[in-house]
Amino acid sequence: MSEKALYQEIGLVNTRKMFEVAMKGKFAIPAYNFNNMEQLQAIVNGCVASDSPFILQVSSGARKYADQTLLRWMAQGAVEMIKAQGTPLKFALHLDHGDTFELCKSCIETGFSSVMIDGSHHPYDKNVEETRKVVEYAHKYDVTVEGELGVLAGIEDDVVAAKSIYTQPDQVVDFVKKTGVDSLAISIGTSHGAYKFKAAQCTRNAQGILEPPPLRFDILEEIEKRIPGFPIVLHGASSVVQKYVDMINKFGGKMEDAVGIPEAQLRKAATSAVCKINIDSDGRLAMTGAIRKAFAENPKEFDPRKYLGPARDELKSLIIDKNKNVLGSAGHGKEIFA
Ligand SMILES: [Zn+2]
């Protein structure tokens, strides 16, 4: 590191220390996406309430929806809001699925403390080249970089892939060495969105709910053996919480056969070298369920605060639950930042 980065002046942190503590403590840092104020408040207040370190993520869809400049200043507002509450908690502002060097560079220049360069759709050598270029630039400012090897199926904003390709353990050592990345997103059967798997890929449990094929822990173990102690990231790790699917359907929605990753499998992954777990769809479901309920129960209401407020409360309680019971990150904030 040669220069003091903007993110440090703002009061953000990169992911290095968080991942170190998560690796030793056998838990994972939650990464939550945001694109509006209510989500941001729920994420921040949920993580403060459960004393959980966290990563705040901005995707390309969020940048288009809310404007990159506004999101960055909202994140700075969140830093000040946390300080005002008198807790030492800090967080990383992370670019989710950066697709070019230029985008990563512009995020670093405007104050992001961590970026993902997703070159997984490129041929291997091109992925290495792009990722390495971002790492060289980012590390000048002590900004941490997440790379990706293997392809996840599903839809998340602009990330669309029909078919997943599992990460090949034989490639990880070479990739990490050549690129210098700080963490690596891998593909072991997670998938973006709320419809992660087709019914034909799943089995039905006694309640008729679809259960997906289990995560490929054998591949994860192989990867851990090749790069011991290296932080691994799981994308597409929402569980599609049944309570919220039911709430949506009860109040006029129509989500059939939505299916996610069972929380027990994520809990198991969090105790391994998996140090970061991305959760977005579950938050969307929680907010949508709460909004549908508010509309159905109060048809005369027209003040957005009367439905966005309950949506925010529901998201906050989801986040506290994830931090405590799935990621295991709750209670580790003071240990990292005090
Ligand atoms: Zn992703």
Side-chain angles (χ1 to χ4, degrees), residues 50 65 90 100 189 226 243 327:
S50 52
Y65 176 78
K90 290 191 165 77
T100 61
R226 315 283 167 106
K243 174 171 85 167
L327 286 292

Side-chain angles (χ1 to χ4, degrees), residues 47 52 60 73 105 110 115 137 147-148 179 187 199 206-207 259 268 286-287 302 309 313 316 331 338:
C47 289
S52 172
S60 64
W73 285 96
K105 181 170 178 277
T110 53
V115 292
Y137 182 80
E148 178 162 337
T179 60
S187 174
Q207 289 82 45
V259 55
K268 182 179 167 189
M287 292 188 89
F302 66 96
D313 293 345
K316 183 182 169 188

